[in-house]
Amino acid sequence: MCGIVAYLGDKEAQPLLISGLRLLEYRGYDSSGIAILGPQNNLKIVKRKGKIRDLEKYIGDRHFPGHLGISHTRWATHGVPSDINSHPHTDQSGKLALVHNGVIENYATLKERLTKQGHKFKSQTDTEVLAHWIGHIYEQTDPNDPDRLEKAIKKALIEVTGTFGLAVIHADHPNCLIGARRGSPLILGISEEGHFLASDVPAIAAHVQKVVYLNDDDIVRIQDHQFHISSLTRGESKFEISQVEITDAEASKGNFPHYMLKEIFEQPQAIMNAFRGRLHHEAATPKLGGLNLTPQEMRSVRRILFLACGSARHAAMVGESLLETIAHIPAEVDFSSEFRYRNTPLDENTLCFVISQSGETIDSLNAMREAQRKGFRVLGICNRVGSTIARESNGGVYMHSGPEMAVAATKSFTAQVMITLLLAIIFGRMRHISATQGQEMLEAIEKVPQQIAKILEKSEEIKDIAKRYLKSKSMLFLGRQALYPVALEGALKMKEITYIPCEGLPCAELKHGFIALVDKKTPSIILAPTDSLYEKNISSIQEIKARQGPVIAITTEGNKSIRSLVDDVITIPQAPEYITPMLAVVPLQLFAYHTAILTNCDPDKPRNLAKSVTVE
Ligand code: M6R
């Protein structure tokens, strides 16, 4: 939800800001802009509705000299995407410029106060109000105080409610860049040639070796090749300097036309990263060091609660099924956003997990804080190292998938499922699973990368199938048990990148309403591996075919009999039922990707969406 890049240093700011924005575009792409402080302390602001390439086109050959600048790519909250509503925004004097990620909840009250004092606003945004508000406080501070700008920002933010990650510059402070955060991520990048502020590491990974993940309520002042971090509320702030672990190649598309396709094809490696070094063959169990739980504490767990949103919630639902069938521990999944406000009664032996690729999803972060406030231990399953959830959780497991840049989650989903499987086996081995069974499971896990690689070879075949369904009015995705959340995930992938209305449902639910949708233009994609419920799935297929609905079946290699019943078949390798969800989702990802390409939709930047949802 909005991306920020800011720079102060020895280099020219403009190219650094633009290249950083390109790498943050997954956070929002309805408009963008830059502000650079020029050699005569003149503030040059250029902003444009549309994607970064529209801004670049508008800038053309123009070069705006300057070593201090801020920039922003927007996902609109207040005010439609337009040139005027794009960031940076300025204050009443026009000397202060600001970029912001988050929502200023009391902007209406502040705006009213400022309007009464003669402030005039150009946009409909909460951010412009924030810029005016800070500028207004600045005017009231001592002009001779060298820390005037930082002090004004601190004072102004005390009266602000809501969330912000922001970067501020001022024409009267040509050697000063200030950032602050509450609820929205902000990272300080450190290099000998200058300092950066950014919403996410990939934007600056090519230029810095070290970063500081700022904490909520931190304010950072960058000046004279140095930085100073303090707290908006408490005086000094504790921070850690971390090494950048992302490489340039990881954050780029490489030879792939889209991030989504690259990330789908990275799954064999991502899955391997999720279990590598974690399979303890001698003890016939996985080992996850970061759980911070003693064996006694693990034994006393009676219930598991997963909190997550979107695809991560679908992965959690697979985890629920795995925990129950493998470890016999009751598990449940809640929408993070619902949990936070529902006041769910929880058994005291409940262990909570928050699953979040970005580790910054505000609904999941707030759900975690609510569970922690109630005294529960919450563990994080995150991909992004140093993210807020990873830092504030009471322990957890990193996914190690590498950066996921496409809005549509793919490799993070399979890695999350893998981690829930590792958990299920750990808990199972502490209860009733024998060493022999445990060992078999570890061996099955080690085969998954190879099995996924085999499915990826079918990409062209899946593209040909996709060609036959481009005119679909809607699509149904069906699965049972642990494959029901995979069906949900398949439906989400398809609808978010192709805008074709899709439903995901348990097969048997068809009869309870959804079957009314079945017709010649509504294909059903059914997950029907040759497992214990295969015959039940065949009945569902018959019901659809009896109503002239086209059927695409995802089934197990070697299953020839299904071909005469359905219109198209995609096979996946034979595997135990606890492995199948990680395999069955891959054809669905490819099916959605190819459908998007064939219908001229941009799979990396679907309309109205952003990768990391940092507003409620
Ligand atoms: O970063 P998170 O895993 O917390 O994100 C949660 C959802 O916003 C995310 O999974 C979303 O549903 C996917 N991008 C959809 O493909």
mmCIF file of all heavy atoms in Angstrom, residues 355-387:
data_model
loop_
_atom_site.group_PDB
_atom_site.id
_atom_site.type_symbol
_atom_site.label_atom_id
_atom_site.label_comp_id
_atom_site.label_asym_id
_atom_site.label_seq_id
_atom_site.Cartn_x
_atom_site.Cartn_y
_atom_site.Cartn_z
ATOM 1 N N ILE A 355 0.340 -15.911 9.935
ATOM 2 C CA ILE A 355 1.048 -16.204 8.680
ATOM 3 C C ILE A 355 0.961 -14.969 7.789
ATOM 4 O O ILE A 355 -0.129 -14.468 7.514
ATOM 5 C CB ILE A 355 0.438 -17.420 7.945
ATOM 6 C CG1 ILE A 355 0.365 -18.632 8.891
ATOM 7 C CG2 ILE A 355 1.249 -17.752 6.707
ATOM 8 C CD1 ILE A 355 -0.048 -19.927 8.201
ATOM 9 N N SER A 356 2.121 -14.485 7.376
ATOM 10 C CA SER A 356 2.133 -13.298 6.514
ATOM 11 C C SER A 356 3.427 -13.261 5.715
ATOM 12 O O SER A 356 4.504 -13.217 6.291
ATOM 13 C CB SER A 356 2.017 -12.037 7.379
ATOM 14 O OG SER A 356 2.190 -10.890 6.592
ATOM 15 N N GLN A 357 3.292 -13.283 4.405
ATOM 16 C CA GLN A 357 4.471 -13.192 3.548
ATOM 17 C C GLN A 357 5.235 -11.920 3.844
ATOM 18 O O GLN A 357 6.423 -11.945 4.121
ATOM 19 C CB GLN A 357 4.021 -13.234 2.078
ATOM 20 C CG GLN A 357 5.109 -13.270 1.030
ATOM 21 C CD GLN A 357 5.791 -11.947 0.766
ATOM 22 O OE1 GLN A 357 7.024 -11.883 0.765
ATOM 23 N NE2 GLN A 357 5.061 -10.882 0.571
ATOM 24 N N SER A 358 4.523 -10.794 3.790
ATOM 25 C CA SER A 358 5.199 -9.497 3.939
ATOM 26 C C SER A 358 5.581 -9.223 5.377
ATOM 27 O O SER A 358 6.520 -8.491 5.638
ATOM 28 C CB SER A 358 4.264 -8.383 3.469
ATOM 29 O OG SER A 358 3.100 -8.371 4.285
ATOM 30 N N GLY A 359 4.824 -9.791 6.297
ATOM 31 C CA GLY A 359 5.050 -9.474 7.712
ATOM 32 C C GLY A 359 4.631 -8.056 8.047
ATOM 33 O O GLY A 359 4.922 -7.544 9.121
ATOM 34 N N GLU A 360 3.908 -7.398 7.126
ATOM 35 C CA GLU A 360 3.508 -6.009 7.345
ATOM 36 C C GLU A 360 2.006 -5.805 7.210
ATOM 37 O O GLU A 360 1.529 -4.697 7.396
ATOM 38 C CB GLU A 360 4.202 -5.077 6.334
ATOM 39 C CG GLU A 360 5.709 -5.049 6.403
ATOM 40 C CD GLU A 360 6.251 -4.411 7.688
ATOM 41 O OE1 GLU A 360 5.471 -3.831 8.463
ATOM 42 O OE2 GLU A 360 7.477 -4.527 7.916
ATOM 43 N N THR A 361 1.268 -6.852 6.857
ATOM 44 C CA THR A 361 -0.179 -6.702 6.664
ATOM 45 C C THR A 361 -0.800 -6.191 7.965
ATOM 46 O O THR A 361 -0.716 -6.848 9.010
ATOM 47 C CB THR A 361 -0.792 -8.061 6.257
ATOM 48 O OG1 THR A 361 -0.136 -8.461 5.065
ATOM 49 C CG2 THR A 361 -2.280 -7.973 6.033
ATOM 50 N N ILE A 362 -1.423 -5.035 7.873
ATOM 51 C CA ILE A 362 -1.839 -4.360 9.110
ATOM 52 C C ILE A 362 -2.900 -5.178 9.867
ATOM 53 O O ILE A 362 -2.893 -5.228 11.100
ATOM 54 C CB ILE A 362 -2.318 -2.917 8.820
ATOM 55 C CG1 ILE A 362 -2.355 -2.072 10.088
ATOM 56 C CG2 ILE A 362 -3.649 -2.882 8.145
ATOM 57 C CD1 ILE A 362 -1.085 -1.501 10.515
ATOM 58 N N ASP A 363 -3.800 -5.846 9.131
ATOM 59 C CA ASP A 363 -4.831 -6.642 9.806
ATOM 60 C C ASP A 363 -4.176 -7.776 10.605
ATOM 61 O O ASP A 363 -4.578 -8.066 11.734
ATOM 62 C CB ASP A 363 -5.806 -7.241 8.781
ATOM 63 C CG ASP A 363 -6.689 -6.170 8.136
ATOM 64 O OD1 ASP A 363 -7.027 -5.198 8.828
ATOM 65 O OD2 ASP A 363 -7.011 -6.314 6.954
ATOM 66 N N SER A 364 -3.165 -8.404 10.016
ATOM 67 C CA SER A 364 -2.505 -9.508 10.713
ATOM 68 C C SER A 364 -1.660 -8.989 11.870
ATOM 69 O O SER A 364 -1.602 -9.605 12.946
ATOM 70 C CB SER A 364 -1.638 -10.308 9.739
ATOM 71 O OG SER A 364 -2.484 -10.923 8.797
ATOM 72 N N LEU A 365 -1.028 -7.857 11.645
ATOM 73 C CA LEU A 365 -0.215 -7.268 12.716
ATOM 74 C C LEU A 365 -1.104 -6.921 13.917
ATOM 75 O O LEU A 365 -0.782 -7.231 15.076
ATOM 76 C CB LEU A 365 0.487 -6.021 12.153
ATOM 77 C CG LEU A 365 1.316 -5.190 13.115
ATOM 78 C CD1 LEU A 365 2.438 -6.017 13.721
ATOM 79 C CD2 LEU A 365 1.913 -3.979 12.387
ATOM 80 N N ASN A 366 -2.234 -6.307 13.630
ATOM 81 C CA ASN A 366 -3.120 -5.919 14.725
ATOM 82 C C ASN A 366 -3.756 -7.132 15.402
ATOM 83 O O ASN A 366 -3.983 -7.127 16.612
ATOM 84 C CB ASN A 366 -4.199 -4.960 14.220
ATOM 85 C CG ASN A 366 -3.621 -3.571 13.980
ATOM 86 O OD1 ASN A 366 -2.603 -3.214 14.573
ATOM 87 N ND2 ASN A 366 -4.232 -2.806 13.111
ATOM 88 N N ALA A 367 -4.036 -8.180 14.626
ATOM 89 C CA ALA A 367 -4.582 -9.410 15.222
ATOM 90 C C ALA A 367 -3.543 -10.004 16.170
ATOM 91 O O ALA A 367 -3.858 -10.462 17.275
ATOM 92 C CB ALA A 367 -4.946 -10.405 14.136
ATOM 93 N N MET A 368 -2.285 -9.984 15.722
ATOM 94 C CA MET A 368 -1.212 -10.520 16.574
ATOM 95 C C MET A 368 -1.116 -9.722 17.874
ATOM 96 O O MET A 368 -1.035 -10.289 18.967
ATOM 97 C CB MET A 368 0.122 -10.444 15.816
ATOM 98 C CG MET A 368 1.293 -10.890 16.651
ATOM 99 S SD MET A 368 2.828 -10.850 15.721
ATOM 100 C CE MET A 368 3.272 -9.158 15.936
ATOM 101 N N ARG A 369 -1.165 -8.409 17.737
ATOM 102 C CA ARG A 369 -1.048 -7.571 18.948
ATOM 103 C C ARG A 369 -2.218 -7.816 19.900
ATOM 104 O O ARG A 369 -2.056 -7.799 21.112
ATOM 105 C CB ARG A 369 -0.975 -6.094 18.536
ATOM 106 C CG ARG A 369 0.372 -5.749 17.898
ATOM 107 C CD ARG A 369 0.385 -4.330 17.386
ATOM 108 N NE ARG A 369 1.691 -3.973 16.848
ATOM 109 C CZ ARG A 369 1.916 -2.926 16.068
ATOM 110 N NH1 ARG A 369 0.924 -2.123 15.718
ATOM 111 N NH2 ARG A 369 3.125 -2.657 15.629
ATOM 112 N N GLU A 370 -3.390 -8.046 19.328
ATOM 113 C CA GLU A 370 -4.570 -8.301 20.163
ATOM 114 C C GLU A 370 -4.396 -9.630 20.915
ATOM 115 O O GLU A 370 -4.664 -9.700 22.118
ATOM 116 C CB GLU A 370 -5.828 -8.322 19.266
ATOM 117 C CG GLU A 370 -7.123 -8.713 19.945
ATOM 118 C CD GLU A 370 -7.615 -7.696 20.968
ATOM 119 O OE1 GLU A 370 -6.997 -6.634 21.121
ATOM 120 O OE2 GLU A 370 -8.618 -8.005 21.646
ATOM 121 N N ALA A 371 -3.938 -10.659 20.212
ATOM 122 C CA ALA A 371 -3.740 -11.963 20.878
ATOM 123 C C ALA A 371 -2.647 -11.837 21.946
ATOM 124 O O ALA A 371 -2.775 -12.381 23.055
ATOM 125 C CB ALA A 371 -3.372 -13.022 19.849
ATOM 126 N N GLN A 372 -1.595 -11.095 21.642
ATOM 127 C CA GLN A 372 -0.515 -10.917 22.620
ATOM 128 C C GLN A 372 -1.027 -10.131 23.835
ATOM 129 O O GLN A 372 -0.685 -10.434 24.966
ATOM 130 C CB GLN A 372 0.667 -10.167 21.990
ATOM 131 C CG GLN A 372 1.475 -11.050 21.041
ATOM 132 C CD GLN A 372 2.538 -10.272 20.296
ATOM 133 O OE1 GLN A 372 2.326 -9.114 19.936
ATOM 134 N NE2 GLN A 372 3.663 -10.912 20.014
ATOM 135 N N ARG A 373 -1.845 -9.130 23.569
ATOM 136 C CA ARG A 373 -2.385 -8.323 24.663
ATOM 137 C C ARG A 373 -3.179 -9.200 25.627
ATOM 138 O O ARG A 373 -3.207 -8.993 26.823
ATOM 139 C CB ARG A 373 -3.281 -7.223 24.074
ATOM 140 C CG ARG A 373 -3.687 -6.124 25.039
ATOM 141 C CD ARG A 373 -4.774 -5.238 24.450
ATOM 142 N NE ARG A 373 -5.943 -5.990 24.033
ATOM 143 C CZ ARG A 373 -6.838 -6.522 24.856
ATOM 144 N NH1 ARG A 373 -6.715 -6.376 26.151
ATOM 145 N NH2 ARG A 373 -7.858 -7.222 24.382
ATOM 146 N N LYS A 374 -3.820 -10.248 25.059
ATOM 147 C CA LYS A 374 -4.604 -11.156 25.907
ATOM 148 C C LYS A 374 -3.718 -12.183 26.599
ATOM 149 O O LYS A 374 -4.201 -13.075 27.270
ATOM 150 C CB LYS A 374 -5.645 -11.888 25.048
ATOM 151 C CG LYS A 374 -6.759 -10.997 24.582
ATOM 152 C CD LYS A 374 -7.740 -11.780 23.742
ATOM 153 C CE LYS A 374 -9.032 -11.006 23.578
ATOM 154 N NZ LYS A 374 -9.895 -11.594 22.561
ATOM 155 N N GLY A 375 -2.440 -12.109 26.347
ATOM 156 C CA GLY A 375 -1.507 -13.002 27.035
ATOM 157 C C GLY A 375 -1.137 -14.245 26.249
ATOM 158 O O GLY A 375 -0.511 -15.161 26.787
ATOM 159 N N PHE A 376 -1.526 -14.313 24.976
ATOM 160 C CA PHE A 376 -1.183 -15.502 24.191
ATOM 161 C C PHE A 376 0.173 -15.341 23.534
ATOM 162 O O PHE A 376 0.563 -14.242 23.165
ATOM 163 C CB PHE A 376 -2.254 -15.785 23.129
ATOM 164 C CG PHE A 376 -3.522 -16.281 23.739
ATOM 165 C CD1 PHE A 376 -4.535 -15.406 24.074
ATOM 166 C CD2 PHE A 376 -3.660 -17.623 24.041
ATOM 167 C CE1 PHE A 376 -5.696 -15.862 24.677
ATOM 168 C CE2 PHE A 376 -4.812 -18.094 24.650
ATOM 169 C CZ PHE A 376 -5.827 -17.214 24.973
ATOM 170 N N ARG A 377 0.829 -16.457 23.391
ATOM 171 C CA ARG A 377 2.083 -16.467 22.663
ATOM 172 C C ARG A 377 1.743 -16.541 21.168
ATOM 173 O O ARG A 377 0.969 -17.405 20.758
ATOM 174 C CB ARG A 377 2.873 -17.711 23.060
ATOM 175 C CG ARG A 377 4.306 -17.688 22.606
ATOM 176 C CD ARG A 377 4.881 -19.051 22.775
ATOM 177 N NE ARG A 377 5.066 -19.452 24.150
ATOM 178 C CZ ARG A 377 6.241 -19.567 24.751
ATOM 179 N NH1 ARG A 377 7.331 -19.267 24.108
ATOM 180 N NH2 ARG A 377 6.334 -19.989 25.976
ATOM 181 N N VAL A 378 2.289 -15.638 20.408
ATOM 182 C CA VAL A 378 2.002 -15.645 18.963
ATOM 183 C C VAL A 378 3.300 -15.825 18.189
ATOM 184 O O VAL A 378 4.259 -15.067 18.377
ATOM 185 C CB VAL A 378 1.322 -14.332 18.496
ATOM 186 C CG1 VAL A 378 0.905 -14.444 17.035
ATOM 187 C CG2 VAL A 378 0.107 -14.007 19.356
ATOM 188 N N LEU A 379 3.310 -16.842 17.344
ATOM 189 C CA LEU A 379 4.489 -17.104 16.520
ATOM 190 C C LEU A 379 4.204 -16.646 15.085
ATOM 191 O O LEU A 379 3.070 -16.740 14.623
ATOM 192 C CB LEU A 379 4.828 -18.593 16.547
ATOM 193 C CG LEU A 379 5.039 -19.164 17.959
ATOM 194 C CD1 LEU A 379 5.365 -20.645 17.891
ATOM 195 C CD2 LEU A 379 6.154 -18.430 18.692
ATOM 196 N N GLY A 380 5.227 -16.162 14.437
ATOM 197 C CA GLY A 380 5.044 -15.646 13.076
ATOM 198 C C GLY A 380 5.584 -16.620 12.033
ATOM 199 O O GLY A 380 6.620 -17.252 12.258
ATOM 200 N N ILE A 381 4.873 -16.727 10.929
ATOM 201 C CA ILE A 381 5.422 -17.446 9.759
ATOM 202 C C ILE A 381 5.505 -16.375 8.674
ATOM 203 O O ILE A 381 4.485 -15.991 8.091
ATOM 204 C CB ILE A 381 4.511 -18.620 9.338
ATOM 205 C CG1 ILE A 381 4.407 -19.626 10.493
ATOM 206 C CG2 ILE A 381 5.045 -19.296 8.079
ATOM 207 C CD1 ILE A 381 3.457 -20.792 10.238
ATOM 208 N N CYS A 382 6.689 -15.842 8.484
ATOM 209 C CA CYS A 382 6.864 -14.677 7.604
ATOM 210 C C CYS A 382 7.953 -14.950 6.581
ATOM 211 O O CYS A 382 8.851 -15.762 6.811
ATOM 212 C CB CYS A 382 7.305 -13.441 8.399
ATOM 213 S SG CYS A 382 6.094 -12.903 9.589
ATOM 214 N N ASN A 383 7.883 -14.216 5.499
ATOM 215 C CA ASN A 383 8.947 -14.300 4.497
ATOM 216 C C ASN A 383 9.938 -13.157 4.674
ATOM 217 O O ASN A 383 11.147 -13.356 4.611
ATOM 218 C CB ASN A 383 8.335 -14.267 3.094
ATOM 219 C CG ASN A 383 9.352 -14.575 2.021
ATOM 220 O OD1 ASN A 383 10.278 -15.348 2.254
ATOM 221 N ND2 ASN A 383 9.202 -13.967 0.868
ATOM 222 N N ARG A 384 9.395 -11.956 4.873
ATOM 223 C CA ARG A 384 10.258 -10.785 4.874
ATOM 224 C C ARG A 384 11.012 -10.664 6.208
ATOM 225 O O ARG A 384 10.424 -10.439 7.260
ATOM 226 C CB ARG A 384 9.402 -9.556 4.611
ATOM 227 C CG ARG A 384 10.150 -8.309 4.199
ATOM 228 C CD ARG A 384 11.311 -8.538 3.273
ATOM 229 N NE ARG A 384 11.010 -8.894 1.903
ATOM 230 C CZ ARG A 384 10.646 -8.055 0.960
ATOM 231 N NH1 ARG A 384 10.459 -6.815 1.228
ATOM 232 N NH2 ARG A 384 10.460 -8.475 -0.259
ATOM 233 N N VAL A 385 12.327 -10.834 6.103
ATOM 234 C CA VAL A 385 13.188 -10.735 7.288
ATOM 235 C C VAL A 385 13.118 -9.307 7.821
ATOM 236 O O VAL A 385 13.153 -8.346 7.051
ATOM 237 C CB VAL A 385 14.646 -11.097 6.908
ATOM 238 C CG1 VAL A 385 15.590 -10.883 8.078
ATOM 239 C CG2 VAL A 385 14.717 -12.531 6.410
ATOM 240 N N GLY A 386 12.990 -9.182 9.135
ATOM 241 C CA GLY A 386 12.989 -7.851 9.751
ATOM 242 C C GLY A 386 11.650 -7.148 9.671
ATOM 243 O O GLY A 386 11.525 -6.011 10.115
ATOM 244 N N SER A 387 10.630 -7.812 9.111
ATOM 245 C CA SER A 387 9.318 -7.165 9.017
ATOM 246 C C SER A 387 8.733 -6.999 10.423
ATOM 247 O O SER A 387 9.190 -7.622 11.384
ATOM 248 C CB SER A 387 8.390 -8.007 8.141
ATOM 249 O OG SER A 387 8.268 -9.296 8.698
#
